[in-house]
Amino acid sequence: MATINEFLPFADQSTANLIPYAEWVNAAKRLTGFVSGIAKSNEMNRVFAQGAQAGYAIAKFIERTLSEDVYVADGERLADQFYRAIVQMSYRATPIGCILTFPVHVEIDGYVATNNGGNLSQTTYDQLYAVYGTKFNTSSTLANQFGIPDMAHRVFEAAATLEEIGCYVAAGLPNILSSGRGFDDQFDISQYGFHDLTGAMFISRTGPRKFDRDMYESHTSGSLAWTFDASRNSSLFGASTTNQPAALQLYCLIRY
């Protein structure tokens, strides 16, 4: 549907009766205004045209941004439209779906908190849904909803492939492994410190009680073998090949 814009340009034709810019920019009356005598039509037209063109440009900005009618006689409505058009344009400057971060708690029109994830209405947030789709849906997401990223205690990490974008990475550490062997020819493993092992330490093999140097040197057997495995204490160990904090992998773009 076509909109109405009552602000129209004035004297914008190439043949318009306007005092040339080179003359007007140096004219004393441009600074003092018309104080006496007769104002020339081309001078008055220049004054009217400047204001008219500026008003038209602002009104056109409102019309195009909000797709609303713009009227000359309603100053309050015009001021409100101008404000809303600026706010709307600021949203367009930040792409829908982009995540901003702040060091303090703030609330901004057009933004929704995503620290702990959650679900939003596909209808109310239709433009965001068009970008995110069902990427962050969970078992709690209803059919008419879509999920948003859970950012709690996660760091941003640049994805290496397109498939990794938006994927969660679990926390993990390289595992810590160690082992050793021992013999007991007194039938009392306690004297060798292999008793009551807990946590990451455990007996991984038992063999003949008596000392057998051939078995010991062949590494094939022995009375006792102990192992240290940090993953027995926490599943974080061994979950990664490097120190990995919990992260959400993102797609990094530079606007130009």
Side-chain angles (χ1 to χ4, degrees):
M1 181 177 179
T3 54
I4 299 173
N5 182 0
E6 291 187 347
F7 285 81
L8 301 174
F10 175 80
D12 63 343
Q13 301 297 311
S14 60
T15 57
N17 181 29
L18 298 175
I19 182 176
Y21 171 78
E23 294 182 32
W24 184 240
V25 73
N26 295 313
K29 62 187 69 176
R30 184 180 64 83
L31 301 177
T32 62
F34 301 104
V35 294
S36 64
I38 299 175
K40 296 180 180 179
S41 61
N42 63 349
E43 295 172 342
M44 293 300 296
N45 286 342
R46 170 67 70 172
V47 175
F48 295 149
Q50 287 180 158
Q53 313 305 35
Y56 176 73
I58 294 174
K60 202 64 179 177
F61 169 71
I62 294 173
E63 179 188 1
R64 289 176 176 175
T65 305
L66 303 180
S67 297
E68 294 180 0
D69 296 336
V70 186
Y71 300 107
V72 172
D74 196 339
E76 288 299 322
R77 172 187 166 91
L78 183 64
D80 175 70
Q81 287 179 308
F82 187 45
Y83 169 77
R84 288 189 290 111
I86 292 176
V87 172
Q88 184 63 241
M89 189 56 66
S90 69
Y91 294 160
R92 297 180 185 179
T94 302
I96 294 174
C98 181
I99 298 175
L100 304 182
T101 58
F102 293 88
V104 294
H105 175 245
V106 297
E107 294 183 2
I108 306 176
D109 289 342
Y111 289 81
V112 61
T114 185
N115 286 54
N116 295 293
N119 302 303
L120 299 176
S121 165
Q122 295 179 8
T123 303
T124 305
Y125 299 90
D126 58 324
Q127 293 186 70
L128 182 59
Y129 175 58
V131 176
Y132 280 3
T134 59
K135 177 74 175 182
F136 303 105
N137 283 17
T138 65
S139 58
S140 67
T141 307
L142 301 179
N144 61 345
Q145 296 178 327
F146 68 100
I148 57 177
D150 181 356
M151 305 303 301
H153 305 296
R154 300 181 188 275
V155 298
F156 284 170
E157 179 178 290
T161 66
L162 293 177
E163 291 72 22
E164 291 177 345
I165 298 169
C167 294
Y168 294 111
V169 180
L173 292 169
N175 203 2
I176 303 174
L177 299 173
S178 185
S179 62
R181 294 175 293 119
F183 282 87
D184 166 35
D185 51 15
Q186 300 297 322
F187 297 96
D188 181 7
I189 63 175
S190 65
Q191 67 175 336
Y192 292 96
F194 293 121
H195 68 298
D196 297 330
L197 299 181
T198 61
M201 296 286 292
F202 65 100
I203 297 296
S204 59
R205 188 184 69 224
T206 59
R209 292 288 187 180
K210 295 299 183 180
F211 177 80
D212 186 322
R213 181 167 296 278
D214 290 337
M215 280 191 291
Y216 184 84
E217 292 180 348
S218 68
H219 299 276
T220 59
S221 184
S223 292
L224 299 170
W226 59 267
T227 298
F228 180 91
D229 185 347
S231 66
R232 290 168 63 92
N233 267 16
S234 172
S235 60
L236 290 180
F237 291 99
S240 175
T241 58
T242 185
N243 293 345
Q244 175 63 62
L248 174 65
Q249 295 180 318
L250 302 176
Y251 191 31
C252 301
L253 294 175
I254 299 177
R255 185 174 182 178
Y256 68 94

